[in-house]
Amino acid sequence: MGIIKVENIRVFAHHGCLKEETKIGSDYRVDLSVKADLQTSAKTDHLAHTVDYVLLNKIVVEEMKQPSKLLETVAQRILERILKEDDLVSKATVSVSKINPPIGGDVESVTIKMTIRRKK
């Protein structure tokens, strides 16, 4: 087994419960970690035998473009797509952070973190 991480994916998106948030948009950071068997790819040196982090980034960017009220909803969509589109992934964890959230204080970010495991 092994872990592949794609960290600090920066996107501008329109998520939030406030009307202004979905209209104006804001900056987000997404961090992703997937667990998979990397032994075959380590031996064969073929992209087809591993988890393609270009695909992981594409999934994140596409799902972040779809507005949602809650970050949890976005994270769940990302996780479900990863398991659907890559059979090698046995477990995935995603953190979605809203940078400078409008919560009436000096807060750098708010982050939610979720994990999904493939059912055996």
Side-chain angles (χ1 to χ4, degrees):
M1 282 297 175
I3 295 173
I4 294 176
K5 292 183 179 184
V6 184
E7 297 177 310
N8 200 18
I9 303 168
R10 294 173 301 280
V11 293
F12 186 84
H14 299 269
H15 306 298
C17 293
L18 302 175
K19 193 173 185 180
E20 298 81 20
E21 291 179 290
T22 56
K23 185 176 180 181
I24 298 168
S26 56
D27 292 313
Y28 292 84
R29 172 187 169 151
V30 180
D31 295 298
L32 186 62
S33 174
V34 298
K35 185 175 181 181
D37 183 352
L38 304 179
Q39 294 303 312
T40 301
S41 60
K43 292 175 186 170
T44 65
D45 200 29
H46 290 293
L47 180 60
H49 298 150
T50 192
V51 177
D52 185 354
Y53 49 80
V54 172
L55 172 65
L56 297 177
N57 184 68
K58 178 181 178 240
I59 290 170
V60 167
V61 170
E62 288 176 358
E63 292 303 328
M64 288 296 290
K65 284 182 182 178
Q66 183 179 334
S68 294
K69 291 180 182 174
L70 301 177
L71 298 181
E72 292 90 325
T73 304
V74 181
Q76 187 66 34
R77 286 197 317 259
I78 291 168
L79 293 171
E80 288 174 357
R81 270 197 65 192
I82 290 169
L83 290 189
K84 180 181 176 186
E85 295 186 27
D86 196 317
D87 293 335
L88 292 176
V89 175
S90 60
K91 177 181 171 185
T93 300
V94 66
S95 296
V96 180
S97 302
K98 180 180 278 194
I99 310 301
N100 297 318
I103 60 174
D106 186 11
V107 177
E108 182 179 315
S109 65
V110 173
T111 302
I112 64 97
K113 184 176 183 179
M114 296 174 67
T115 300
I116 194 170
R117 288 176 179 77
R118 186 174 301 281
K119 294 180 177 136
K120 296 181 181 185

